[in-house]
Amino acid sequence: MTLLLDEIALATARLAEAGVPSPRTDAEEIAAFVHGVRRSELHTVRDADFDALFWEGIARREAREPLQHITGRAYFRYLSLEVGPGVFVPRPETEVVAGWAIDRLREMDVANPLVVDLGTGSGAIALSIAQEVALSEVHAVEVDPDAYGWAKRNIVELGQGRVHLHPEDLNDCLPELDGRVDLVISNPPYIPPGAIPRDPEVRDFDPARALYGSGEDGLGEVRAVERTARRLLRPGGLVAVEHADEQGTAVYWLFPEEYGWRDVRNHQDLTGRDRFVTARFGQD
């Protein structure tokens, strides 16, 4: 047993006592980050090379600061993204939403699928689609200056010239694409005002603008996504929008047939909870 592995064991106990959901994994991730190695290589770190900054990172995680803020990286599908204060840390639930969109785009009989990601945050969804759907063209919209800065970093690094970032509001963005888009996707803010997220990592560190939706039910931005998608989509185009697990029925009814929506569906995440609604526009 090396010094570092001993320290990781002690750190795991501290994180578990603090209520961190994955204490061993987080302790190892922080150790790997501080020492510049992979998790599988932690045993190779010599005792003389142990860095006490490890315990600084553990103290931050013990205070429930997100692991991604400590390491500066979030993993989303096949991507490693830069994240930090001012941008929403992408979650595994949203990977399911992105996966649905990627599968549908691959099925489309379209040579160069045109996609819009409304409220892109770190750029996770937009970049995943660009990476996994050959010849797709993705337009990412983000009005918040802090989140826009993070998205720009990630798009410059990973976008391969196929993700275009726009500092616009999702209500009136991209009029030049009206009626042309194959798929609109969004993970907008949707927590009702006054509700308190359970997880300290979300409640205390994610930006409020990315969490709390407008209106009494928190669905003001989801309604805006519906209106914008209706304007942007071509006949037969698709929309996917994420929501909280208890909002499935409410969001379903925001895409009514009289507005041109067809095949409205609610989909579950990997925990079996309602997570996102999809619909097809204007084609019987």
Side-chain angles (χ1 to χ4, degrees), residues 8 11-12 15 22-32 42 54 58:
I8 288 171
T12 298
L15 295 181
S22 52
R24 180 76 188 191
T25 296
D26 289 15
E28 290 181 352
E29 289 283 1
I30 292 168
L42 289 169
F54 168 71
I58 293 299

Side-chain angles (χ1 to χ4, degrees), residues 61-100:
R61 189 68 186 104
E62 191 176 17
R64 302 302 292 270
E65 184 174 348
L67 174 68
Q68 296 86 350
H69 284 198
I70 298 168
T71 65
R73 286 278 169 179
Y75 298 98
F76 186 88
R77 291 183 67 85
Y78 304 104
L79 299 171
S80 173
L81 303 163
E82 289 191 46
V83 296
V87 70
F88 182 79
V89 174
R91 302 299 199 272
E93 308 91 88
T94 306
E95 294 188 38
V96 179
V97 188
W100 180 92

